[in-house]
Amino acid sequence: MTVPGPTRLVLLRAGKYDYGEVELTRPLHLIGPNNVGKTSLIATLQFLYLDDQRQMHFSRDLAETRRYYFPDADSYVLFECLTPTGFQVFGVHGLGPLKQYELQRFAYQGRLDRDDFLDEGRRVREAAEIRARLAPRGYTLLEPRHLRAALTGIGESKGVHLGLVPLKHRDHYERFRALFRNLLRLAHLRQEELKEFLIEIHSGEFQQRAIDLERDYSGQYEKVRRGADELRDLKAIEPEARRLLALAEARDRLRRELPALWARLGEAYAAAEARAVADLARLEGQHADLAGEQARTEADRGARQARLREAAGERGALGHSLAELAALAQSFAGFLPDFERQRLRTLETE
């Protein structure tokens, strides 16, 4: 939180709370059954922003309200506030039944520390002890006029500068006080009452209390009507227009990508062309080698065909010789070499 305003609210033995603590730096929702103290908790903001108890609005009269919020001398309502000069604590202390439940306002510098008000047993310290603990931090008692000056920055504030309601003119605080009081009871205001209330607060700033729309705003109305017609026509073509805008964006994106794509395409083409030239040279070399090998193969084929023809002639001669040998083998089929050698020797002897 960086803007001035209350940051934390602490109640000690006040209202229906023995101890209540609420962070005020973020939006807050109070949820609970009836009569548990939600409205009375919200109403405590009046002790911080309103200087005059008679101008505060509660569900009870003033005397009963003071008895309700401050039933004894140990009752406190404390506000930790971020101010233009740093953190300060504003508190309201009930003086108890012996002093007709009167209130005592005070302020001091710094953050709110529960140990300044509660002892180790979580009991509220004596008022004199609390004042002694807070004295080094500029503990100061405030009258209603001092609180108003501390809130607005106008008048004697006894050195306390909360700056929560900065105003240019002293009499504007009455307007703020009335507006704030009624804002806390919006649920109980009728619409007409709220209108009259706002007009009454700003009556000095109005040049007229009624507005003639036809007289004062006919031209503006016609302009707004034409604008509404144009807006309706635009909404009718919105889907198609969005589709065209998406297509135009895609086209522009592709146009931005085309130069890089063309450069990469040229690089890929040059690389492919270099590979093709190298492959062509390699294939031409292989073709020359194959042509030489084919020539050698043709020459070898011719030699082998000549040799084949010679082998065929030799085969024919060998076939004729084999036939003759077969005939001789047939004629000598019953020839016995040993017997014929014996006959030959016999013949030689004869």
Side-chain angles (χ1 to χ4, degrees):
M1 182 175 180
T2 58
V3 296
T7 59
R8 189 160 41 138
L9 166 63
V10 173
L11 285 79
L12 301 177
R13 298 182 59 79
K16 293 188 176 183
Y17 300 91
D18 283 337
Y19 179 85
E21 181 173 343
V22 180
E23 290 289 340
L24 303 176
T25 57
R26 295 187 299 269
L28 176 68
H29 294 271
L30 298 179
I31 301 173
N34 292 332
N35 202 32
V36 296
K38 301 189 300 296
T39 302
S40 61
L41 179 64
I42 297 172
T44 57
L45 292 172
Q46 297 179 88
F47 292 118
L48 172 63
Y49 284 101
L50 303 185
D51 61 335
D52 189 346
Q53 297 181 45
R54 295 169 300 178
Q55 299 296 326
M56 299 179 184
H57 177 82
F58 296 96
S59 57
R60 305 170 177 84
D61 60 34
L62 182 57
E64 187 177 355
T65 295
R66 291 195 304 205
R67 286 195 300 271
Y68 172 77
Y69 281 104
F70 305 96
D72 53 48
D74 294 334
S75 300
Y76 289 86
V77 175
L78 305 170
F79 297 91
E80 179 189 79
C81 302
L82 178 59
T83 75
T85 58
F87 279 98
Q88 296 189 50
V89 175
F90 171 77
V92 182
H93 174 212
L95 300 180
L98 295 180
K99 295 189 178 181
Q100 289 76 46
Y101 302 98
E102 282 294 334
L103 307 180
Q104 191 177 65
R105 299 175 176 85
F106 62 91
Y108 62 90
Q109 298 287 332
R111 305 295 294 265
L112 196 160
D113 187 349
R114 289 177 295 183
D115 293 338
D116 291 329
F117 296 87
L118 301 177
D119 60 16
E120 293 76 6
R122 314 309 293 170
R123 294 181 297 272
V124 180
R125 300 180 188 272
E126 294 292 334
E129 182 182 0
I130 293 175
R131 287 195 296 270
R133 293 175 66 93
L134 298 178
R137 280 171 274 172
Y139 179 89
T140 304
L141 293 177
L142 302 176
E143 296 294 333
R145 58 189 178 88
H146 300 141
L147 173 60
R148 177 191 293 200
L151 290 171
T152 62
I154 302 174
E156 170 55 39
S157 63
K158 297 183 70 174
V160 178
H161 302 287
L162 298 176
L164 303 183
V165 190
L167 300 173
K168 293 182 179 180
H169 302 287
R170 185 184 302 270
D171 58 348
H172 287 179
Y173 180 75
E174 282 72 16
R175 294 187 184 181
F176 165 80
R177 189 167 56 191
L179 178 61
F180 183 82
R181 182 182 65 245
N182 284 278
L183 284 176
L184 291 182
R185 54 186 292 266
L186 278 178
H188 306 288
L189 286 179
R190 292 183 293 106
Q191 182 179 11
E192 290 301 323
E193 290 177 340
L194 180 59
K195 289 180 182 179
E196 291 297 328
F197 170 67
L198 293 175
I199 291 174
E200 180 181 352
I201 289 178
H202 299 282
S203 59
E205 303 173 14
F206 291 152
Q207 296 181 356
Q208 58 184 36
R209 293 177 61 91
I211 298 176
D212 189 338
L213 295 178
E214 183 177 2
R215 182 193 65 194
D216 299 333
Y217 296 97
S218 58
Q220 289 87 336
Y221 171 75
E222 184 62 25
K223 183 178 179 180
V224 170
R225 189 187 63 78
R226 289 195 302 269
D229 293 340
E230 293 176 359
L231 179 60
R232 185 170 53 254
D233 295 339
L234 289 174
K235 285 185 175 181
I237 64 172
E238 179 183 6
E240 188 66 18
R242 290 188 179 277
R243 187 181 70 82
L244 292 176
L245 289 174
L247 291 175
E249 183 178 356
R251 179 200 61 192
D252 294 340
R253 185 179 65 254
L254 292 175
R255 282 180 174 175
R256 291 191 298 269
E257 295 174 356
L258 279 177
L261 292 175
W262 178 255
R264 289 199 294 271
L265 183 61
E267 293 172 0
Y269 176 79
E273 184 179 25
R275 289 195 299 271
V277 170
D279 292 342
L280 180 60
R282 180 175 52 80
L283 292 175
E284 287 178 347
Q286 291 179 354
H287 182 266
D289 294 340
L290 291 174
E293 186 177 354
Q294 183 181 12
R296 290 190 298 273
T297 301
E298 289 294 334
D300 185 64
R301 180 171 173 270
R304 288 180 182 276
Q305 286 180 346
R307 178 60 183 155
L308 182 61
R309 287 191 295 270
E310 291 177 0
E314 292 175 356
R315 180 187 177 202
L318 289 174
H320 181 68
S321 297
L322 287 175
E324 290 180 350
L325 290 173
L328 290 173
Q330 183 67 29
S331 62
F332 286 96
F335 180 76
L336 297 174
D338 293 340
F339 179 74
E340 292 299 330
R341 279 193 291 272
Q342 185 62 38
R343 279 188 67 192
L344 181 60
R345 285 195 295 270
T346 301
L347 288 175
E348 289 177 350
T349 301
E350 290 180 356

